[in-house]
Amino acid sequence: MQLMPLPKRVLHCGPLGLDLSKPHIMGILNVTPDSFSDGGSHNGKEQAVAHALQMIADGASIIDVGGESTRPGASMVAVQEEIQRVIPVVEQLAQHNVVISVDTSQPEVIKAAIEAGAHIWNDVRALTRPLALQTAAELNIPVIIMHMRGEPTTMNNLDQYNDVTLDVIAELQQRIDAAINAGIKAENILIDPGFGFAKNAEQNLKLLQQLHQLNGLGYPILSGLSRKRFIGHAVHAGTVQDRIIGSVVGHLLSIQQGACMVRAHDVKAMHDAIQMWQAMNQA
Ligand code: 7PM
């Protein structure tokens, strides 16, 4: 079995440190109105926090709070609305000993979230919004730079690649350069291939097969393929529930190639898989 040992590095998340020499699970916490019965209301907030605490108990070391729907064709959420969804949940989670990332592209949202106790900026738009680079540099926080083309509304027509892996690497390198030039510290940068974003099923699988090539960029890698459509294609299954095992396998194959973080809905199953993998490595 070919091993890709993770380099010794620590991600500084405020007072908390994440040891990136071992894999971590980032639990997905959607706070869009469709995800918890009354998004934004007290009841919705309590349900969201309870779900996050369950994911922590199941083995998540990071909770990724997202208040914007990034579905293909989704409408843009007003900044104030996003803040109202995200901040109350971040405030509650900050009382617990867990790293908090926020899935947003808006500088105003991440500024408010960091003030409320969040630690990491997870941006599917790779800090392309006005003032995003400057804000990340000023906040001096870890940032996840994900590969995408266009916007969630337009990305489905933007899947023309020469070589999907080499093109994703080159386009990530451009965003890394922009980040470094804006004064973002290298030690604060993580990268993400952006599974499902401006890529068709075949391209997502190729990218998974060749994910190890992203190690050449020199930054920690996050893999996020949980329950995505290409998993359904691969396992010939329609429902989201039928994508869980494929997602766990895809994440473990990412870890085997050097990813140190996986963004997952099904934390308990993912944690079992990682424990099995670690047990094998230590044998
Ligand atoms: C609909 C379609 C709803 C797609 C949600 C999504 C990633 C992310 C998302 C990822 C990082 C999902 C996506 N995906 N952040 N945010 N990497 N860093 O399936 O792959 O969760 S939203």
Side-chain angles (χ1 to χ4, degrees), residues 159 164 195-196 198-208 228-234:
D159 62 356
V164 67
F195 287 113
K199 292 145 196 113
N200 64 31
E202 184 68 20
Q203 291 161 343
N204 284 304
L205 291 170
K206 198 73 198 169
L207 200 46
L208 177 58
K228 286 184 179 176
R229 202 163 39 212
F230 80 100
I231 306 283
H233 277 268

PDB file of all heavy atoms in Angstrom, residues 159 164 195-196 198-208 228-234:
ATOM      1  N   ASP A 159     -17.119  23.607 -18.065  1.00  0.00           N
ATOM      2  CA  ASP A 159     -16.354  22.392 -17.776  1.00  0.00           C
ATOM      3  C   ASP A 159     -15.487  21.953 -18.967  1.00  0.00           C
ATOM      4  O   ASP A 159     -15.275  20.775 -19.186  1.00  0.00           O
ATOM      5  CB  ASP A 159     -17.277  21.259 -17.312  1.00  0.00           C
ATOM      6  CG  ASP A 159     -18.299  20.865 -18.373  1.00  0.00           C
ATOM      7  OD1 ASP A 159     -18.338  21.521 -19.439  1.00  0.00           O
ATOM      8  OD2 ASP A 159     -19.043  19.907 -18.137  1.00  0.00           O
ATOM      9  N   VAL A 164      -8.018  18.065 -16.785  1.00  0.00           N
ATOM     10  CA  VAL A 164      -8.732  18.655 -15.648  1.00  0.00           C
ATOM     11  C   VAL A 164      -7.794  18.890 -14.465  1.00  0.00           C
ATOM     12  O   VAL A 164      -7.812  19.966 -13.849  1.00  0.00           O
ATOM     13  CB  VAL A 164      -9.985  17.832 -15.257  1.00  0.00           C
ATOM     14  CG1 VAL A 164      -9.627  16.466 -14.705  1.00  0.00           C
ATOM     15  CG2 VAL A 164     -10.842  18.600 -14.266  1.00  0.00           C
ATOM     16  N   PHE A 195     -14.647  19.670  -5.906  1.00  0.00           N
ATOM     17  CA  PHE A 195     -15.427  18.603  -6.553  1.00  0.00           C
ATOM     18  C   PHE A 195     -16.848  19.088  -6.808  1.00  0.00           C
ATOM     19  O   PHE A 195     -17.483  19.708  -5.939  1.00  0.00           O
ATOM     20  CB  PHE A 195     -15.466  17.344  -5.658  1.00  0.00           C
ATOM     21  CG  PHE A 195     -14.165  16.591  -5.620  1.00  0.00           C
ATOM     22  CD1 PHE A 195     -13.412  16.525  -4.453  1.00  0.00           C
ATOM     23  CD2 PHE A 195     -13.688  15.945  -6.758  1.00  0.00           C
ATOM     24  CE1 PHE A 195     -12.213  15.826  -4.417  1.00  0.00           C
ATOM     25  CE2 PHE A 195     -12.486  15.252  -6.731  1.00  0.00           C
ATOM     26  CZ  PHE A 195     -11.752  15.187  -5.562  1.00  0.00           C
ATOM     27  N   GLY A 196     -17.334  18.847  -8.029  1.00  0.00           N
ATOM     28  CA  GLY A 196     -18.708  19.208  -8.376  1.00  0.00           C
ATOM     29  C   GLY A 196     -18.895  20.644  -8.836  1.00  0.00           C
ATOM     30  O   GLY A 196     -19.985  21.014  -9.264  1.00  0.00           O
ATOM     31  N   ALA A 198     -18.130  23.221 -11.589  1.00  0.00           N
ATOM     32  CA  ALA A 198     -17.668  23.381 -12.975  1.00  0.00           C
ATOM     33  C   ALA A 198     -16.892  22.155 -13.465  1.00  0.00           C
ATOM     34  O   ALA A 198     -15.896  22.290 -14.174  1.00  0.00           O
ATOM     35  CB  ALA A 198     -16.832  24.664 -13.134  1.00  0.00           C
ATOM     36  N   LYS A 199     -17.351  20.978 -13.054  1.00  0.00           N
ATOM     37  CA  LYS A 199     -16.737  19.720 -13.492  1.00  0.00           C
ATOM     38  C   LYS A 199     -17.835  18.694 -13.729  1.00  0.00           C
ATOM     39  O   LYS A 199     -18.765  18.605 -12.924  1.00  0.00           O
ATOM     40  CB  LYS A 199     -15.774  19.173 -12.417  1.00  0.00           C
ATOM     41  CG  LYS A 199     -14.520  20.034 -12.233  1.00  0.00           C
ATOM     42  CD  LYS A 199     -14.062  20.077 -10.798  1.00  0.00           C
ATOM     43  CE  LYS A 199     -13.085  21.209 -10.570  1.00  0.00           C
ATOM     44  NZ  LYS A 199     -13.626  22.268  -9.690  1.00  0.00           N
ATOM     45  N   ASN A 200     -17.714  17.926 -14.803  1.00  0.00           N
ATOM     46  CA  ASN A 200     -18.687  16.851 -15.021  1.00  0.00           C
ATOM     47  C   ASN A 200     -18.262  15.587 -14.266  1.00  0.00           C
ATOM     48  O   ASN A 200     -17.192  15.565 -13.630  1.00  0.00           O
ATOM     49  CB  ASN A 200     -18.898  16.601 -16.522  1.00  0.00           C
ATOM     50  CG  ASN A 200     -17.640  16.089 -17.219  1.00  0.00           C
ATOM     51  OD1 ASN A 200     -16.824  15.396 -16.617  1.00  0.00           O
ATOM     52  ND2 ASN A 200     -17.491  16.424 -18.484  1.00  0.00           N
ATOM     53  N   ALA A 201     -19.096  14.565 -14.321  1.00  0.00           N
ATOM     54  CA  ALA A 201     -18.862  13.363 -13.505  1.00  0.00           C
ATOM     55  C   ALA A 201     -17.490  12.752 -13.797  1.00  0.00           C
ATOM     56  O   ALA A 201     -16.722  12.439 -12.872  1.00  0.00           O
ATOM     57  CB  ALA A 201     -19.963  12.330 -13.760  1.00  0.00           C
ATOM     58  N   GLU A 202     -17.170  12.602 -15.090  1.00  0.00           N
ATOM     59  CA  GLU A 202     -15.891  12.008 -15.486  1.00  0.00           C
ATOM     60  C   GLU A 202     -14.710  12.840 -14.966  1.00  0.00           C
ATOM     61  O   GLU A 202     -13.708  12.302 -14.483  1.00  0.00           O
ATOM     62  CB  GLU A 202     -15.864  11.929 -17.028  1.00  0.00           C
ATOM     63  CG  GLU A 202     -14.652  11.255 -17.620  1.00  0.00           C
ATOM     64  CD  GLU A 202     -14.585   9.766 -17.318  1.00  0.00           C
ATOM     65  OE1 GLU A 202     -15.632   9.165 -16.972  1.00  0.00           O
ATOM     66  OE2 GLU A 202     -13.471   9.203 -17.398  1.00  0.00           O
ATOM     67  N   GLN A 203     -14.818  14.169 -15.081  1.00  0.00           N
ATOM     68  CA  GLN A 203     -13.745  15.057 -14.617  1.00  0.00           C
ATOM     69  C   GLN A 203     -13.568  14.979 -13.104  1.00  0.00           C
ATOM     70  O   GLN A 203     -12.437  14.991 -12.604  1.00  0.00           O
ATOM     71  CB  GLN A 203     -14.047  16.499 -15.045  1.00  0.00           C
ATOM     72  CG  GLN A 203     -13.944  16.699 -16.559  1.00  0.00           C
ATOM     73  CD  GLN A 203     -14.657  17.942 -17.030  1.00  0.00           C
ATOM     74  OE1 GLN A 203     -15.499  18.524 -16.330  1.00  0.00           O
ATOM     75  NE2 GLN A 203     -14.353  18.375 -18.257  1.00  0.00           N
ATOM     76  N   ASN A 204     -14.671  14.874 -12.367  1.00  0.00           N
ATOM     77  CA  ASN A 204     -14.567  14.726 -10.911  1.00  0.00           C
ATOM     78  C   ASN A 204     -13.825  13.440 -10.547  1.00  0.00           C
ATOM     79  O   ASN A 204     -13.001  13.429  -9.625  1.00  0.00           O
ATOM     80  CB  ASN A 204     -15.960  14.728 -10.276  1.00  0.00           C
ATOM     81  CG  ASN A 204     -16.563  16.120 -10.210  1.00  0.00           C
ATOM     82  OD1 ASN A 204     -15.966  17.038  -9.654  1.00  0.00           O
ATOM     83  ND2 ASN A 204     -17.749  16.287 -10.789  1.00  0.00           N
ATOM     84  N   LEU A 205     -14.117  12.369 -11.269  1.00  0.00           N
ATOM     85  CA  LEU A 205     -13.455  11.090 -10.982  1.00  0.00           C
ATOM     86  C   LEU A 205     -11.971  11.141 -11.338  1.00  0.00           C
ATOM     87  O   LEU A 205     -11.121  10.610 -10.614  1.00  0.00           O
ATOM     88  CB  LEU A 205     -14.155   9.949 -11.741  1.00  0.00           C
ATOM     89  CG  LEU A 205     -15.569   9.626 -11.228  1.00  0.00           C
ATOM     90  CD1 LEU A 205     -16.283   8.669 -12.175  1.00  0.00           C
ATOM     91  CD2 LEU A 205     -15.516   9.041  -9.821  1.00  0.00           C
ATOM     92  N   LYS A 206     -11.656  11.787 -12.461  1.00  0.00           N
ATOM     93  CA  LYS A 206     -10.245  11.938 -12.866  1.00  0.00           C
ATOM     94  C   LYS A 206      -9.476  12.736 -11.806  1.00  0.00           C
ATOM     95  O   LYS A 206      -8.352  12.397 -11.438  1.00  0.00           O
ATOM     96  CB  LYS A 206     -10.182  12.651 -14.234  1.00  0.00           C
ATOM     97  CG  LYS A 206      -8.863  12.499 -14.946  1.00  0.00           C
ATOM     98  CD  LYS A 206      -8.709  11.083 -15.502  1.00  0.00           C
ATOM     99  CE  LYS A 206      -7.256  10.774 -15.825  1.00  0.00           C
ATOM    100  NZ  LYS A 206      -7.096   9.321 -16.120  1.00  0.00           N
ATOM    101  N   LEU A 207     -10.113  13.793 -11.340  1.00  0.00           N
ATOM    102  CA  LEU A 207      -9.514  14.647 -10.316  1.00  0.00           C
ATOM    103  C   LEU A 207      -9.292  13.867  -9.020  1.00  0.00           C
ATOM    104  O   LEU A 207      -8.261  14.026  -8.352  1.00  0.00           O
ATOM    105  CB  LEU A 207     -10.446  15.845 -10.082  1.00  0.00           C
ATOM    106  CG  LEU A 207      -9.941  17.119  -9.436  1.00  0.00           C
ATOM    107  CD1 LEU A 207      -8.613  17.584 -10.006  1.00  0.00           C
ATOM    108  CD2 LEU A 207     -11.006  18.205  -9.594  1.00  0.00           C
ATOM    109  N   LEU A 208     -10.214  13.009  -8.689  1.00  0.00           N
ATOM    110  CA  LEU A 208     -10.050  12.165  -7.495  1.00  0.00           C
ATOM    111  C   LEU A 208      -8.894  11.180  -7.707  1.00  0.00           C
ATOM    112  O   LEU A 208      -8.052  11.002  -6.827  1.00  0.00           O
ATOM    113  CB  LEU A 208     -11.354  11.414  -7.200  1.00  0.00           C
ATOM    114  CG  LEU A 208     -11.327  10.425  -6.032  1.00  0.00           C
ATOM    115  CD1 LEU A 208     -10.934  11.111  -4.724  1.00  0.00           C
ATOM    116  CD2 LEU A 208     -12.682   9.732  -5.891  1.00  0.00           C
ATOM    117  N   LYS A 228     -22.124  14.204  -3.321  1.00  0.00           N
ATOM    118  CA  LYS A 228     -22.247  14.953  -4.574  1.00  0.00           C
ATOM    119  C   LYS A 228     -22.721  14.047  -5.713  1.00  0.00           C
ATOM    120  O   LYS A 228     -22.632  12.838  -5.647  1.00  0.00           O
ATOM    121  CB  LYS A 228     -20.935  15.681  -4.886  1.00  0.00           C
ATOM    122  CG  LYS A 228     -20.765  16.887  -3.944  1.00  0.00           C
ATOM    123  CD  LYS A 228     -19.554  17.746  -4.212  1.00  0.00           C
ATOM    124  CE  LYS A 228     -19.552  18.915  -3.215  1.00  0.00           C
ATOM    125  NZ  LYS A 228     -18.370  19.764  -3.329  1.00  0.00           N
ATOM    126  N   ARG A 229     -23.217  14.689  -6.764  1.00  0.00           N
ATOM    127  CA  ARG A 229     -23.906  13.972  -7.837  1.00  0.00           C
ATOM    128  C   ARG A 229     -23.013  12.938  -8.516  1.00  0.00           C
ATOM    129  O   ARG A 229     -23.470  11.858  -8.886  1.00  0.00           O
ATOM    130  CB  ARG A 229     -24.461  14.976  -8.856  1.00  0.00           C
ATOM    131  CG  ARG A 229     -25.605  14.432  -9.679  1.00  0.00           C
ATOM    132  CD  ARG A 229     -26.373  15.540 -10.365  1.00  0.00           C
ATOM    133  NE  ARG A 229     -25.478  16.575 -10.862  1.00  0.00           N
ATOM    134  CZ  ARG A 229     -25.795  17.864 -10.941  1.00  0.00           C
ATOM    135  NH1 ARG A 229     -26.983  18.269 -10.561  1.00  0.00           N
ATOM    136  NH2 ARG A 229     -24.938  18.735 -11.417  1.00  0.00           N
ATOM    137  N   PHE A 230     -21.723  13.244  -8.676  1.00  0.00           N
ATOM    138  CA  PHE A 230     -20.846  12.297  -9.384  1.00  0.00           C
ATOM    139  C   PHE A 230     -20.667  10.995  -8.602  1.00  0.00           C
ATOM    140  O   PHE A 230     -20.387   9.955  -9.195  1.00  0.00           O
ATOM    141  CB  PHE A 230     -19.499  12.935  -9.745  1.00  0.00           C
ATOM    142  CG  PHE A 230     -18.464  13.012  -8.637  1.00  0.00           C
ATOM    143  CD1 PHE A 230     -17.432  12.075  -8.569  1.00  0.00           C
ATOM    144  CD2 PHE A 230     -18.496  14.024  -7.701  1.00  0.00           C
ATOM    145  CE1 PHE A 230     -16.462  12.148  -7.583  1.00  0.00           C
ATOM    146  CE2 PHE A 230     -17.536  14.097  -6.705  1.00  0.00           C
ATOM    147  CZ  PHE A 230     -16.512  13.162  -6.637  1.00  0.00           C
ATOM    148  N   ILE A 231     -20.855  11.058  -7.285  1.00  0.00           N
ATOM    149  CA  ILE A 231     -20.831   9.837  -6.471  1.00  0.00           C
ATOM    150  C   ILE A 231     -22.026   8.962  -6.865  1.00  0.00           C
ATOM    151  O   ILE A 231     -21.890   7.747  -7.032  1.00  0.00           O
ATOM    152  CB  ILE A 231     -20.898  10.170  -4.962  1.00  0.00           C
ATOM    153  CG1 ILE A 231     -19.798  11.158  -4.559  1.00  0.00           C
ATOM    154  CG2 ILE A 231     -20.884   8.895  -4.118  1.00  0.00           C
ATOM    155  CD1 ILE A 231     -18.433  10.585  -4.426  1.00  0.00           C
ATOM    156  N   GLY A 232     -23.167   9.613  -7.035  1.00  0.00           N
ATOM    157  CA  GLY A 232     -24.373   8.899  -7.471  1.00  0.00           C
ATOM    158  C   GLY A 232     -24.165   8.227  -8.819  1.00  0.00           C
ATOM    159  O   GLY A 232     -24.562   7.078  -9.017  1.00  0.00           O
ATOM    160  N   HIS A 233     -23.518   8.930  -9.751  1.00  0.00           N
ATOM    161  CA  HIS A 233     -23.191   8.343 -11.060  1.00  0.00           C
ATOM    162  C   HIS A 233     -22.338   7.100 -10.888  1.00  0.00           C
ATOM    163  O   HIS A 233     -22.599   6.054 -11.479  1.00  0.00           O
ATOM    164  CB  HIS A 233     -22.404   9.352 -11.916  1.00  0.00           C
ATOM    165  CG  HIS A 233     -23.250  10.339 -12.625  1.00  0.00           C
ATOM    166  ND1 HIS A 233     -23.709  10.143 -13.903  1.00  0.00           N
ATOM    167  CD2 HIS A 233     -23.727  11.547 -12.236  1.00  0.00           C
ATOM    168  CE1 HIS A 233     -24.436  11.184 -14.274  1.00  0.00           C
ATOM    169  NE2 HIS A 233     -24.461  12.062 -13.278  1.00  0.00           N
ATOM    170  N   ALA A 234     -21.303   7.227 -10.055  1.00  0.00           N
ATOM    171  CA  ALA A 234     -20.331   6.137  -9.918  1.00  0.00           C
ATOM    172  C   ALA A 234     -20.963   4.884  -9.317  1.00  0.00           C
ATOM    173  O   ALA A 234     -20.623   3.768  -9.712  1.00  0.00           O
ATOM    174  CB  ALA A 234     -19.143   6.596  -9.067  1.00  0.00           C
TER     175      ALA A 234
END
